[in-house]
Amino acid sequence: NFLMMFTVFGMAGYFASVIKAPITGSILIMEITGTFDCLMNVLCVSMIAFLISDLAGGIPAYDALLNRSLRKSRNFSDEKSV
């Protein structure tokens, strides 16, 4: 049980820091695991991971993917117009 809780905390912290959505991440991880026993603990871990990622200047994963996609489409449209 102890190892399972640390795994859940790690998943929630990682998801919250990468996606930069701590509440959504916490609820999603709780739904995946099927247990809501440690919801407050998961929320605390997610908020701390989010704050550390924000202070470190991390870029949300979906923002990075959007920017990359927009750059590729801009380069593609520039090549077509030449």
Side-chain angles (χ1 to χ4, degrees):
N1 193 18
F2 189 71
L3 183 61
M4 185 186 81
M5 286 296 145
F6 273 109
T7 305
V8 170
F9 295 154
M11 288 185 338
Y14 179 77
F15 190 82
S17 65
V18 169
I19 304 300
K20 293 241 182 158
I23 295 173
T24 303
S26 299
I27 293 171
L28 183 67
I29 297 300
M30 291 289 95
E31 287 180 7
I32 289 171
T33 59
T35 179
F36 289 88
D37 296 338
C38 58
L39 182 61
M40 286 305 293
N41 295 336
V42 170
L43 281 171
C44 289
V45 168
S46 295
M47 288 303 295
I48 291 170
F50 168 75
L51 290 173
I52 290 172
S53 174
D54 200 39
L55 291 173
I59 300 170
Y62 291 126
D63 287 352
L65 290 172
L66 175 65
N67 290 335
R68 186 173 71 181
S69 177
L70 290 174
R71 278 194 309 268
K72 283 183 179 181
S73 68
R74 232 180 273 135
N75 287 341
F76 180 71
S77 64
D78 289 344
E79 290 174 5
K80 281 183 96 175
S81 64
V82 172

